């Protein structure tokens, strides 16, 4: 949904007011990423996309999941 539609639904006079709601706190983003990867780990073996996604740096995932500091 375009942000201008959200602005209209919420009755905001200025788009900048609506934009205040578009920035998620860091902890919410991290929780969503952790939940996403947990769901991927629960997929049956051999299913497309099971395990860590290709293209991610393993050291970044280790830091994200608290396995190893930077």
């Amino acid at each position: 949904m375009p942000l201008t539609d959200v602005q209209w639904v919420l009755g905001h006079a200025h788009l900048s007011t609506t934009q205040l709601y578009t920035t998620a706190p860091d902890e919410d983003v991290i929780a969503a990423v952790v939940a996403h990867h947990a769901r991927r780990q629960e997929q049956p073996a051999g299913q497309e996309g099971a395990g860590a996604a290709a293209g991610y740096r393993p050291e970044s995932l280790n830091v994200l999941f608290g396995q190893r500091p930077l």
Side-chain angles (χ1 to χ4, degrees):
M1 173 181 280
L3 192 55
T4 51
D5 290 356
V6 175
Q7 174 190 6
W8 182 85
V9 169
L10 295 177
H12 294 157
H14 303 283
L15 189 58
S16 60
T17 303
T18 310
Q19 288 174 317
L20 294 174
Y21 298 96
T22 63
T23 305
D26 291 347
E27 51 274 358
D28 289 354
V29 173
I30 291 169
V33 170
V34 168
H36 168 76
H37 283 283
R39 286 189 304 272
R40 290 177 57 91
Q41 291 295 330
E42 293 171 0
Q43 293 177 349
Q47 186 174 354
E48 183 67 30
Y56 285 101
R57 293 180 13 216
E59 61 273 16
S60 296
L61 293 175
N62 289 340
V63 170
L64 177 65
F65 293 111
Q67 297 172 359
R68 185 167 48 121
L70 272 175

